[in-house]
């Protein structure tokens, strides 16, 4: 298999995990443009409770990403993902049945407790090689972006016909579809780190938080999603002010998302093929900042907003795909789930803080001031990211390995990881293949082949 192309496992993992992300996020995004309008029928309605209902999800997500990632390291990715989707479905049902803002907020908080993003990203990392991981993450990032665009179109339609409860019932149904995908379509893999690195403690999590390079990436995703939510506090009202009715906003969003993804692909190819990851990472942050400064200057023109949004989402999609891959390479072999938990928590904290920042500035100033505040965040991020180090890629060895059950896969992975030079071993049950992350200076290929043959 060529190192420049996704193999069958990576393709299947990318598409299936992206589908889980998309189905889960679609219902959540559909709520954004309609809750403040259709939520007025619920008892206890007020702007404060609207904010709490929206923020409750992000808050519980931020609090539980690290524990859920840690649990996925200990008990397996798929088990934790299914458990999270069950909790998410229960929260959706409670919100759908709610007759008050208080019960709806409780349902939203329970939805957030199904915090599976870290486990999903860690599973994507388990099932992909270092050099192909950005492509897998790009597919996942694209699915999230497209679900956002589709949600902007479907949200008002569903709410107009079935109210806010209709959106939550649809969300619950999509979560059930996500569970089916995890069980039957997502590849099964057993991942092992070297002996002595097989358990993750709270002290280990503390080290992950303090790790200089991981901390830069965690701050980066915080800043990235802070700018996103900050911008969308003022962008929809500004589009209406510029003459684009709310019902037609999808006509801007969908072309912007599609064009930005197409234009992001060459950046990704150059970053991987030419090993220019840090250079293009910094370029993307500058593009992000320039787009927000462009909004400061041209917010009165729909065409200028569209141009700035294309530039913004080229950078956003590139960074959204690149950062999880870098986190997985920086983190210890057995702690990817925990590292992704810290990373995902930072993402949701950023979204929560972005809403606060955008609302605070918008209430006291103009939309241009909101965009300027987001641009300032981008400049701060660039200064922090300049010192970022990109870890070298390790060598990935692929070996045919017939295993009859998950127990056999567990045993083989444990044996492989004991070999000298093996940094990480992943046995993909569905494909009868093992992937080894190795230090070429210490690794003995013949010994690995003999072990796999004997197993």
């Amino acid at each position: 298999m060529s190192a420049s192309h996704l193999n069958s496992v990576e393709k299947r993992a990318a598409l299936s995990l992206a589908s889980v992300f998309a189905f889960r996020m679609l219902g959540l995004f559909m709520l954004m443009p309609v809750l403040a309008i259709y939520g007025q029928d619920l008892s206890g309605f007020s702007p404060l409770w609207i904010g709490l209902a929206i923020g409750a999800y992000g808050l519980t997500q931020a609090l539980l990403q690290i524990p859920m990632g840690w649990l996925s390291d200990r008990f397996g990715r798929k088990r934790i993902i299914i458990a999270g989707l069950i909790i998410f479905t229960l929260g959706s049902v409670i919100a759908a049945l709610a007759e008050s803002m208080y019960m709806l907020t409780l349902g939203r908080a329970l939805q957030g407790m199904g915090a599976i993003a870290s486990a999903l990203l860690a599973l994507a990392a388990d099932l992909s090689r270092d050099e192909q991981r950005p492509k897998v993450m790009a597919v996942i990032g694209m699915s999230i972006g497209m679900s956002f665009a589709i949600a902007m179109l479907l949200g008002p339609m569903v709410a107009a016909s079935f109210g806010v409860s209709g959106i939550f019932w649809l969300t619950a149904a999509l979560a059930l579809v996500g569970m089916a995908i995890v069980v039957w379509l997502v590849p099964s893999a057993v991942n092992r780190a070297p002996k002595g690195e097989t358990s993750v403690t709270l002290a280990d999590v503390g080290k992950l938080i303090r790790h200089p390079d991981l901390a830069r990436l965690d701050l980066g995703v915080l800043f990235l999603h802070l700018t996103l939510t900050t911008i969308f506090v003022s962008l929809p009202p500004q589009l209406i002010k510029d003459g684009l009715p709310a019902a037609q906003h999808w006509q801007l969003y969908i072309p912007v998302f599609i064009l930005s993804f197409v234009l992001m692909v060459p950046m990704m190819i150059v970053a991987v093929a030419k090993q220019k990851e840090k250079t293009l990472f910094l370029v993307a942050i500058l593009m992000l900042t320039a787009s927000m400064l462009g909004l400061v200057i041209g917010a009165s023109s729909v065409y200028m907003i569209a141009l700035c949004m294309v530039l913004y989402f080229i950078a956003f999609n590139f960074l959204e795909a690149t950062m999880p891959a870098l986190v997985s390479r920086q983190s210890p072999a057995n702690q990817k789930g925990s590292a992704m938990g810290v990373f995902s928590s930072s993402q949701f904290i950023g979204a929560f803080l972005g809403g606060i920042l955008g609302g605070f500035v918008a209430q006291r100033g103009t939309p241009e001031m909101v965009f300027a505040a987001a641009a300032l965040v981008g400049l701060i991020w660039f200064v922090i990211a300049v010192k970022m180090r990109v870890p070298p890629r390790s060598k990935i060895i692929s070996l045919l390995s017939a295993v009859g059950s998950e127990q056999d896969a567990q045993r083989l992975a444990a044996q492989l990881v004991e070999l000298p030079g093996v940094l990480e071993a992943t046995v993909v049950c569905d494909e009868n293949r093992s992937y080894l992350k190795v230090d070429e200076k210490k690794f003995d290929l013949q010994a690995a082949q003999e072990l796999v043959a004997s197993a």
Side-chain angles (χ1 to χ4, degrees):
M1 174 64 68
S2 171
S4 63
H5 297 90
L6 296 177
N7 60 34
S8 59
V9 173
E10 290 163 339
K11 289 177 183 177
R12 187 174 159 196
L15 293 175
S16 58
L17 292 173
S19 298
V20 175
F21 262 106
F23 285 136
R24 180 170 166 270
M25 299 303 293
L26 181 61
L28 297 174
F29 287 144
M30 287 170 67
L31 195 68
M32 292 175 58
V34 303
L35 183 57
I37 300 171
Y38 295 93
Q40 297 180 34
D41 296 332
L42 299 172
S43 65
F45 174 86
S46 71
L48 173 61
W49 276 99
I50 288 293
L52 289 173
I54 293 174
Y57 176 82
L59 182 61
T60 51
Q61 280 276 319
L63 292 174
L64 291 176
Q65 287 296 337
I66 295 174
M68 293 290 272
W70 178 76
L71 287 171
S72 80
D73 285 330
R74 294 290 302 273
F75 301 108
R77 313 289 189 217
K78 281 194 172 184
R79 289 190 182 97
I80 299 305
I81 292 169
I82 292 294
L85 286 171
I86 291 172
I87 295 170
F88 179 83
T89 303
L90 179 59
S92 299
V93 171
I94 289 175
L97 296 173
E99 297 181 354
S100 69
M101 287 299 302
Y102 319 120
M103 187 62 68
L104 187 143
T105 302
L106 174 63
R108 288 280 293 166
L110 194 57
Q111 279 185 318
M113 292 176 68
I116 61 172
S118 56
L120 282 168
L121 292 173
L123 181 55
D126 290 344
L127 293 167
S128 57
R129 295 163 290 169
D130 279 7
E131 64 271 18
Q132 298 303 320
R133 197 162 295 140
K135 297 179 184 178
V136 174
M137 298 300 178
V139 173
I140 293 173
M142 179 187 68
S143 74
I144 296 172
M146 290 307 297
S147 67
F148 180 84
I150 294 171
M152 294 298 104
L153 173 62
L154 290 183
M157 294 181 181
V158 175
S161 300
F162 305 102
V164 172
S165 63
I167 290 179
F168 284 112
W169 283 122
L170 179 57
T171 300
L174 292 173
L176 294 176
V177 174
M179 284 186 235
I181 292 172
V182 172
V183 173
W184 287 303
L185 297 181
V186 175
S188 296
V190 174
N191 184 270
R192 284 289 179 270
K195 188 175 181 180
E197 295 184 11
T198 55
S199 61
V200 183
T201 66
L202 292 177
D204 293 326
V205 174
K207 291 178 182 178
L208 292 174
I209 295 173
R210 295 189 299 272
H211 188 291
D213 293 308
L214 287 174
R216 288 188 182 93
L217 293 168
D218 295 335
L219 279 174
V221 77
L222 186 153
F223 290 146
L224 182 64
H225 286 265
L226 188 152
T227 62
L228 180 68
T229 51
T230 298
I231 287 173
F232 273 90
V233 167
S234 292
L235 185 62
Q238 184 63 42
L239 287 171
I240 295 173
K241 182 179 177 181
D242 292 345
L244 187 66
Q248 298 177 17
H249 285 188
W250 66 271
Q251 297 176 5
L252 182 144
Y253 294 140
I254 291 181
V256 161
F257 284 128
I258 294 174
L259 184 59
S260 62
F261 179 78
V262 170
L263 295 177
M264 177 272 295
V265 171
M267 285 183 66
M268 188 67 65
I269 293 173
V270 171
V272 174
K274 303 296 184 182
Q275 298 186 11
K276 298 289 185 181
E277 288 170 290
K278 181 176 179 179
T279 299
L280 289 176
F281 191 94
L282 295 174
V283 168
I285 297 175
L286 291 177
M287 289 171 61
L288 201 81
T289 306
S291 70
M292 292 179 284
L293 290 174
L295 289 175
V296 174
I297 299 169
S300 59
S301 167
V302 171
Y303 297 105
M304 185 64 178
I305 289 177
L307 177 62
C308 291
M309 285 293 94
V310 169
L311 187 64
Y312 178 89
F313 279 105
I314 291 172
F316 183 93
N317 289 335
F318 176 84
L319 294 164
E320 187 85 340
T322 301
M323 284 193 288
L326 291 174
V327 170
S328 69
R329 283 163 58 188
Q330 292 279 15
S331 60
N334 72 312
Q335 297 177 22
K336 285 199 291 286
S338 300
M340 289 297 183
V342 177
F343 180 80
S344 297
S345 291
S346 301
Q347 170 185 328
F348 287 106
I349 290 171
F352 177 73
L353 294 177
I356 293 176
L357 174 63
F360 179 83
V361 177
Q363 187 171 337
R364 289 162 175 76
T366 64
E368 288 80 5
M369 293 175 66
V370 174
F371 302 140
L376 178 60
V377 172
L379 289 174
I380 294 172
W381 182 11
F382 179 81
V383 172
I384 293 173
V386 165
K387 294 185 178 180
M388 181 184 76
R389 295 178 299 176
V390 175
R393 287 192 173 90
S394 54
K395 178 75 173 179
I396 300 296
I397 302 296
S398 172
L399 300 172
L400 286 173
S401 53
V403 290
S405 65
E406 185 171 338
Q407 289 72 25
D408 292 337
Q410 294 272 5
R411 187 160 45 250
L412 178 57
Q415 293 172 338
L416 285 169
V417 84
E418 293 293 333
L419 295 175
V422 176
L423 305 175
E424 187 174 344
T426 299
V427 179
V428 183
C429 310
D430 299 349
E431 301 291 331
N432 288 326
R433 186 168 290 275
S434 297
Y435 294 96
L436 308 181
K437 180 187 289 188
V438 303
D439 180 344
E440 287 188 280
K441 296 180 180 179
K442 301 178 182 178
F443 178 65
D444 185 342
L445 177 59
Q446 183 176 350
Q449 290 172 330
E450 290 175 355
L451 176 58
V452 169
S454 65

mmCIF file of all heavy atoms in Angstrom, residues 328-347:
data_model
loop_
_atom_site.group_PDB
_atom_site.id
_atom_site.type_symbol
_atom_site.label_atom_id
_atom_site.label_comp_id
_atom_site.label_asym_id
_atom_site.label_seq_id
_atom_site.Cartn_x
_atom_site.Cartn_y
_atom_site.Cartn_z
ATOM 1 N N SER A 328 -2.091 13.769 18.476
ATOM 2 C CA SER A 328 -1.889 12.321 18.548
ATOM 3 C C SER A 328 -0.414 11.959 18.409
ATOM 4 O O SER A 328 0.050 10.972 18.995
ATOM 5 C CB SER A 328 -2.712 11.616 17.472
ATOM 6 O OG SER A 328 -2.209 11.886 16.182
ATOM 7 N N ARG A 329 0.353 12.745 17.646
ATOM 8 C CA ARG A 329 1.789 12.476 17.491
ATOM 9 C C ARG A 329 2.588 12.948 18.695
ATOM 10 O O ARG A 329 3.631 12.370 19.043
ATOM 11 C CB ARG A 329 2.300 13.158 16.216
ATOM 12 C CG ARG A 329 1.916 12.398 14.947
ATOM 13 C CD ARG A 329 2.040 13.253 13.711
ATOM 14 N NE ARG A 329 3.365 13.794 13.517
ATOM 15 C CZ ARG A 329 3.676 14.694 12.583
ATOM 16 N NH1 ARG A 329 2.731 15.144 11.767
ATOM 17 N NH2 ARG A 329 4.907 15.129 12.449
ATOM 18 N N GLN A 330 2.140 14.012 19.357
ATOM 19 C CA GLN A 330 2.855 14.543 20.518
ATOM 20 C C GLN A 330 2.591 13.713 21.773
ATOM 21 O O GLN A 330 3.447 13.644 22.655
ATOM 22 C CB GLN A 330 2.413 15.992 20.789
ATOM 23 C CG GLN A 330 2.838 17.005 19.739
ATOM 24 C CD GLN A 330 4.281 17.470 19.928
ATOM 25 O OE1 GLN A 330 5.046 16.855 20.665
ATOM 26 N NE2 GLN A 330 4.650 18.543 19.245
ATOM 27 N N SER A 331 1.422 13.079 21.871
ATOM 28 C CA SER A 331 1.042 12.413 23.116
ATOM 29 C C SER A 331 1.702 11.050 23.251
ATOM 30 O O SER A 331 2.024 10.406 22.250
ATOM 31 C CB SER A 331 -0.483 12.252 23.169
ATOM 32 O OG SER A 331 -0.935 11.472 22.084
ATOM 33 N N PRO A 332 1.924 10.577 24.498
ATOM 34 C CA PRO A 332 2.432 9.221 24.714
ATOM 35 C C PRO A 332 1.515 8.203 24.068
ATOM 36 O O PRO A 332 0.309 8.415 23.941
ATOM 37 C CB PRO A 332 2.445 9.089 26.243
ATOM 38 C CG PRO A 332 2.542 10.495 26.739
ATOM 39 C CD PRO A 332 1.771 11.326 25.750
ATOM 40 N N ALA A 333 2.076 7.060 23.687
ATOM 41 C CA ALA A 333 1.340 6.077 22.885
ATOM 42 C C ALA A 333 0.044 5.629 23.531
ATOM 43 O O ALA A 333 -0.969 5.458 22.863
ATOM 44 C CB ALA A 333 2.234 4.864 22.621
ATOM 45 N N ASN A 334 0.037 5.429 24.864
ATOM 46 C CA ASN A 334 -1.158 4.898 25.522
ATOM 47 C C ASN A 334 -2.066 5.997 26.060
ATOM 48 O O ASN A 334 -3.040 5.706 26.741
ATOM 49 C CB ASN A 334 -0.755 3.986 26.685
ATOM 50 C CG ASN A 334 -0.194 4.775 27.856
ATOM 51 O OD1 ASN A 334 0.660 5.636 27.666
ATOM 52 N ND2 ASN A 334 -0.673 4.501 29.049
ATOM 53 N N GLN A 335 -1.742 7.254 25.774
ATOM 54 C CA GLN A 335 -2.496 8.355 26.365
ATOM 55 C C GLN A 335 -3.163 9.238 25.318
ATOM 56 O O GLN A 335 -3.523 10.380 25.603
ATOM 57 C CB GLN A 335 -1.573 9.193 27.257
ATOM 58 C CG GLN A 335 -1.016 8.411 28.438
ATOM 59 C CD GLN A 335 -0.049 9.214 29.283
ATOM 60 O OE1 GLN A 335 -0.071 10.443 29.277
ATOM 61 N NE2 GLN A 335 0.812 8.530 30.009
ATOM 62 N N LYS A 336 -3.352 8.706 24.110
ATOM 63 C CA LYS A 336 -3.981 9.523 23.067
ATOM 64 C C LYS A 336 -5.402 9.926 23.459
ATOM 65 O O LYS A 336 -5.832 11.042 23.201
ATOM 66 C CB LYS A 336 -3.988 8.770 21.734
ATOM 67 C CG LYS A 336 -2.630 8.719 21.047
ATOM 68 C CD LYS A 336 -2.763 8.398 19.579
ATOM 69 C CE LYS A 336 -3.235 6.971 19.340
ATOM 70 N NZ LYS A 336 -2.195 5.970 19.590
ATOM 71 N N GLY A 337 -6.150 8.991 24.059
ATOM 72 C CA GLY A 337 -7.511 9.319 24.470
ATOM 73 C C GLY A 337 -7.530 10.439 25.498
ATOM 74 O O GLY A 337 -8.338 11.368 25.416
ATOM 75 N N SER A 338 -6.624 10.371 26.470
ATOM 76 C CA SER A 338 -6.557 11.416 27.495
ATOM 77 C C SER A 338 -6.110 12.737 26.892
ATOM 78 O O SER A 338 -6.647 13.803 27.225
ATOM 79 C CB SER A 338 -5.599 10.981 28.610
ATOM 80 O OG SER A 338 -6.028 9.782 29.211
ATOM 81 N N ALA A 339 -5.113 12.683 26.007
ATOM 82 C CA ALA A 339 -4.642 13.904 25.350
ATOM 83 C C ALA A 339 -5.743 14.522 24.496
ATOM 84 O O ALA A 339 -5.915 15.754 24.471
ATOM 85 C CB ALA A 339 -3.410 13.602 24.495
ATOM 86 N N MET A 340 -6.499 13.676 23.782
ATOM 87 C CA MET A 340 -7.619 14.178 22.995
ATOM 88 C C MET A 340 -8.719 14.731 23.897
ATOM 89 O O MET A 340 -9.455 15.648 23.515
ATOM 90 C CB MET A 340 -8.185 13.067 22.110
ATOM 91 C CG MET A 340 -7.286 12.663 20.955
ATOM 92 S SD MET A 340 -7.025 14.025 19.792
ATOM 93 C CE MET A 340 -6.026 13.154 18.552
ATOM 94 N N GLY A 341 -8.829 14.181 25.113
ATOM 95 C CA GLY A 341 -9.799 14.698 26.065
ATOM 96 C C GLY A 341 -9.472 16.116 26.477
ATOM 97 O O GLY A 341 -10.347 16.992 26.520
ATOM 98 N N VAL A 342 -8.196 16.372 26.810
ATOM 99 C CA VAL A 342 -7.759 17.726 27.144
ATOM 100 C C VAL A 342 -8.001 18.661 25.957
ATOM 101 O O VAL A 342 -8.507 19.781 26.097
ATOM 102 C CB VAL A 342 -6.273 17.735 27.536
ATOM 103 C CG1 VAL A 342 -5.791 19.163 27.810
ATOM 104 C CG2 VAL A 342 -6.037 16.853 28.764
ATOM 105 N N PHE A 343 -7.640 18.179 24.762
ATOM 106 C CA PHE A 343 -7.791 18.958 23.536
ATOM 107 C C PHE A 343 -9.268 19.292 23.282
ATOM 108 O O PHE A 343 -9.617 20.457 23.007
ATOM 109 C CB PHE A 343 -7.211 18.145 22.376
ATOM 110 C CG PHE A 343 -7.294 18.800 21.031
ATOM 111 C CD1 PHE A 343 -6.389 19.774 20.657
ATOM 112 C CD2 PHE A 343 -8.272 18.425 20.123
ATOM 113 C CE1 PHE A 343 -6.445 20.370 19.399
ATOM 114 C CE2 PHE A 343 -8.355 19.004 18.874
ATOM 115 C CZ PHE A 343 -7.438 19.982 18.512
ATOM 116 N N SER A 344 -10.141 18.300 23.385
ATOM 117 C CA SER A 344 -11.564 18.524 23.137
ATOM 118 C C SER A 344 -12.183 19.426 24.201
ATOM 119 O O SER A 344 -13.054 20.256 23.890
ATOM 120 C CB SER A 344 -12.311 17.190 23.083
ATOM 121 O OG SER A 344 -11.847 16.396 22.005
ATOM 122 N N SER A 345 -11.751 19.282 25.443
ATOM 123 C CA SER A 345 -12.239 20.178 26.500
ATOM 124 C C SER A 345 -11.872 21.618 26.186
ATOM 125 O O SER A 345 -12.687 22.535 26.354
ATOM 126 C CB SER A 345 -11.651 19.773 27.857
ATOM 127 O OG SER A 345 -12.172 18.543 28.283
ATOM 128 N N SER A 346 -10.656 21.818 25.704
ATOM 129 C CA SER A 346 -10.218 23.168 25.331
ATOM 130 C C SER A 346 -11.087 23.726 24.212
ATOM 131 O O SER A 346 -11.427 24.912 24.199
ATOM 132 C CB SER A 346 -8.750 23.140 24.889
ATOM 133 O OG SER A 346 -7.907 22.658 25.912
ATOM 134 N N GLN A 347 -11.464 22.856 23.273
ATOM 135 C CA GLN A 347 -12.317 23.269 22.157
ATOM 136 C C GLN A 347 -13.661 23.790 22.677
ATOM 137 O O GLN A 347 -14.124 24.869 22.268
ATOM 138 C CB GLN A 347 -12.549 22.094 21.229
ATOM 139 C CG GLN A 347 -13.595 22.319 20.159
ATOM 140 C CD GLN A 347 -13.871 21.066 19.349
ATOM 141 O OE1 GLN A 347 -12.977 20.252 19.146
ATOM 142 N NE2 GLN A 347 -15.086 20.897 18.895
#
